[in-house]
Amino acid sequence: MCTRGYWMWGLSRRVSLPGGFRYGPRRPLGVHRYLCNFPHSPRICIIGSGPAGFYTAQHLLKHHSKLLVDIYEKLPVPFGLVRFGVAPDHPEVKSYGADSKRELGIPGEELPGVYSARDFVGWYNGLPSQRHLNPDLSNETAVILGQGNVALDIARILLSPIELLKKTDITQSALDALVHSRIRTVWLIGRRGPLQVAFTIKELREMLQLPGTRPRLDPSDYQGLGDIAKDLPRPRKRLTELLVKSALEKPAAKDCARWDQANREWGLYFLRSPIQVLPSKDGRKAAGVRLSITRLEGTGDTAVAIPTGQVEDISCGLILSSIGYKSVPISPAVPFLCEQGIIPNCMGRVTGYPGLYCSGWVKRGPTGVITTTMTDSFETAQAMLEDINSGALSWSDPKPGATAIKELITLRGIQSISFSDWQKIDSVETARGQKIGKPREKILDPEEMLKFACH
C-alpha cells in the first residue's frame, strides 16, 4: 500500500502523532519481532508514515485483530508532512503531503528569490532537505502566488510578531532569519476572484486578527458579492460574508485602532496570473513578477480565468509559488498518471494490480485537509478489509516482504531505526525545546538524528 517515502519500523496497535492525532501503539515493535512472533498472520506493508499511512493503519488494526502492519519511511523521523508541512503555529492542523511541487512554467522562475511553498514551508518546519534554503528576506515586499491555506500560512509566518513564533516549534535558524526580516507587505495573488479563493474562514479570520498587521482589501473587488453569497453553500457563504464585511464595512473601533498602528500589511490581489519573474538589473535575482490580468468565464468553482491581454508588474524580492503539491512515481513497477500526479485506482485499489493499494494525495490528488485524508484513508483500508474477508487477497503464497526488505537493507549497509529509536530523537528534541520555552527544537541533520537514535 503506497502513501510516500521509505524507511523502517513496525506498528502493533497504537501510535500518537503530534497535534493530538492519536493512532495508537501500546508497544511499538521492530519488523523482525513481528516475523518471529506472528508467522502466520496476514501482514500489510505501508510505504509512508504521514497521515494517510497512519489513518490507513489505524482502520486496519481496529477492524482486523490478526493483521500486522509494517510502516516504512525514508527519513529517521515519522509523521511525514504532519511534522514538516504546515505552519508551526498551527500544530493542530498539520496535514500536507506529496513529494514534489508544481512548477510555474514561466520565464525567470529559476532565479534566486523564487521558492516553492513546499520548500519554504519545509525550511521553517525543519525538513532536512530544505535546511540550507536561506531565503532572502531583505526586501520589503513579498508575493505569494496562490490563495489557499498554505499561502495564508506562509503570509502569517512572514508577518507574525517574533514573540508569537518563539513559542512554536519553528526551527531556530528560520526564527533567526525572521528576526532580521525586512518584509512589511505580503500580496497573495489569485488568477480568479474572491468567490474562488481556496482558503477557509478560520485561516482568514486569523489573518484579520494578526497583531501588528492590517489587511488591504480593495472594496471594488467585493461589490455585489453580499447578494450572491446568500445562495452559496454554507462554508463558502460564511467565508464570502466575512470578506465582504472586512472590505466594505467600517471596522470596529478596536480593529481600527489596531490597524492604524500596524507596521505590516497583507492583501488579496485577484484576476492576476503570473507570466514572468522579472530579474534585477544585474540579472542575478528576482526583482518582481509580471502578471497577466484575467477575466472569468463561468461561475463558482468551475469559473475559468481567461487572459485579457493586459499585464501588470509588481516589484518584490521574494516570490513564493503556492499553486499546489504533486506526487511523484514511487517505482517503475507501479502505474502512475503523471499529469494528474496520482496512481490510477478505484476506491484505493490500484487498477490492474491486485494486492496493491494507495491512499492520500497519490490516490486523489493534492486536495483537502486532515479530515479529508482521514476519510479517504479509511476508504482504502475498508477496501483492503473487504478483499481480505472475501478471499480476493490470498495469504497462501506470501511474498518475502519484510524478511527480504530487512536482508536488502543489511546487504546495502543502510542504517535502519525502529520506533523506539525515534523516541530517543523525540526526547532530545523535546528537551532542547523546553530549555528555550518551545514545544520542541527539531534536529535538522539526518546524521545527527541517527547519532541519537543509535546511542
Side-chain angles (χ1 to χ4, degrees):
M1 202 282 293
C2 302
T3 55
R4 61 173 287 276
Y6 324 98
W7 177 55
M8 181 177 181
W9 34 269
L11 173 66
S12 58
R13 298 301 300 168
R14 299 181 64 82
V15 176
S16 297
L17 287 187
F21 305 124
R22 303 199 63 83
Y23 302 91
R26 282 190 285 254
R27 58 187 184 103
L29 302 176
V31 174
H32 64 286
R33 293 179 65 183
Y34 285 140
L35 297 174
C36 297
N37 295 340
F38 306 104
H40 304 297
S41 299
R43 183 177 291 111
I44 302 294
C45 169
I46 294 181
I47 301 175
S49 65
F54 269 95
Y55 275 129
T56 303
Q58 178 197 31
H59 193 84
L60 289 170
L61 295 170
K62 181 179 180 181
H63 295 282
H64 197 301
S65 61
K66 295 184 179 180
L67 271 184
L68 303 174
V69 178
D70 302 322
I71 298 180
Y72 292 82
E73 166 63 44
K74 65 182 177 182
L75 292 172
V77 291
F79 311 138
L81 293 188
V82 165
R83 174 181 168 105
F84 299 120
V86 181
D89 58 343
H90 276 188
E92 77 285 359
V93 294
K94 293 194 172 194
S95 58
Y96 296 85
D99 266 348
S100 188
K101 64 223 176 191
R102 288 183 176 172
E103 303 291 341
L104 288 169
I106 62 175
E109 70 173 305
E110 76 286 349
L111 287 169
V114 182
Y115 307 94
S116 72
R118 183 185 188 277
D119 291 349
F120 193 77
V121 170
W123 168 69
Y124 62 63
N125 269 329
L127 185 64
S129 61
Q130 302 304 329
R131 66 187 187 277
H132 302 305
L133 192 68
N134 192 28
D136 184 359
L137 308 180
S138 62
N139 196 281
E140 290 192 358
T141 301
V143 163
I144 302 175
L145 303 172
Q147 294 180 337
N149 281 342
V150 175
L152 283 188
D153 280 347
I154 294 172
R156 194 177 62 256
I157 292 299
L158 288 172
L159 298 175
S160 284
I162 294 299
E163 292 304 315
L164 294 182
L165 294 179
K166 283 182 178 179
K167 301 174 183 178
T168 73
D169 70 352
I170 190 171
T171 65
Q172 191 60 45
S173 56
L175 189 61
D176 291 342
L178 290 167
V179 166
H180 298 97
S181 171
R182 296 182 60 192
I183 293 174
R184 295 294 178 267
T185 301
V186 176
W187 288 107
L188 295 98
I189 312 295
R191 59 190 172 86
R192 298 191 294 173
L195 291 177
Q196 289 81 35
V197 294
F199 52 74
T200 53
I201 192 169
K202 177 182 180 295
E203 280 66 28
L204 173 61
R205 188 177 290 115
E206 190 167 4
M207 283 299 295
L208 292 170
Q209 297 171 353
L210 189 63
T213 307
R214 62 175 169 266
R216 287 180 59 180
L217 304 177
D218 187 342
S220 65
D221 289 331
Y222 305 90
Q223 297 290 344
L225 293 188
D227 292 334
I228 297 175
K230 297 176 183 177
D231 298 323
L232 297 175
R234 189 170 185 272
R236 176 67 68 178
K237 175 177 180 290
R238 293 176 62 236
L239 175 61
T240 303
E241 288 174 343
L242 180 57
L243 283 168
V244 170
K245 179 180 179 180
S246 303
L248 301 182
E249 297 182 13
K250 184 177 179 179
K254 62 177 182 178
D255 291 331
C256 212
R258 178 167 54 85
W259 292 345
D260 286 342
Q261 296 173 6
N263 62 356
R264 300 183 180 189
E265 60 185 7
W266 63 276
L268 300 172
Y269 219 24
F270 299 113
L271 299 176
R272 302 292 189 276
S273 181
I275 55 175
Q276 182 183 354
V277 174
L278 303 175
S280 58
K281 290 182 179 179
D282 60 10
R284 295 183 178 180
K285 61 181 181 179
V289 59
R290 177 159 294 164
L291 304 170
S292 168
I293 299 176
T294 62
R295 61 179 177 84
L296 292 184
E297 284 190 358
T299 59
D301 292 338
T302 61
V304 178
I306 306 296
T308 64
Q310 298 176 290
V311 298
E312 181 178 359
D313 295 346
I314 295 181
S315 296
C316 57
L318 178 67
I319 301 170
L320 296 153
S321 169
S322 184
I323 59 172
Y325 290 59
K326 187 177 182 180
S327 296
V328 295
I330 190 172
S331 164
V334 179
F336 190 77
L337 303 178
C338 292
E339 186 173 345
Q340 297 96 322
I342 63 171
I343 293 173
N345 71 93
C346 179
M347 307 288 282
R349 298 178 177 92
V350 177
T351 305
Y353 286 75
L356 188 62
Y357 303 80
C358 58
S359 184
W361 283 5
V362 79
K363 171 186 174 183
R364 70 179 188 277
T367 59
V369 292
I370 191 69
T371 53
T372 319
T373 297
M374 179 181 69
T375 302
D376 171 86
S377 300
F378 287 175
E379 178 187 75
T380 293
Q382 190 59 38
M384 298 169 73
L385 291 169
E386 290 173 2
D387 291 348
I388 291 171
N389 294 332
S390 68
L393 285 180
S394 173
W395 308 99
S396 59
D397 184 25
K399 298 179 175 60
T403 305
I405 292 173
K406 183 183 177 184
E407 292 174 352
L408 182 62
I409 288 173
T410 302
L411 182 64
R412 292 183 177 179
I414 296 173
Q415 182 178 355
S416 62
I417 69 174
S418 66
F419 191 86
S420 58
D421 293 330
W422 142 247
Q423 290 176 315
K424 298 176 186 177
I425 300 173
D426 181 45
S427 65
V428 172
E429 291 185 338
T430 302
R432 288 181 177 182
Q434 288 176 346
K435 289 181 180 179
I436 55 177
K438 298 171 63 177
R440 76 171 56 239
E441 182 59 39
K442 294 174 184 171
I443 299 172
L444 306 184
D445 186 347
E447 292 302 319
E448 187 180 2
M449 294 178 187
L450 294 175
K451 180 184 72 174
F452 287 109
C454 300
H455 180 66

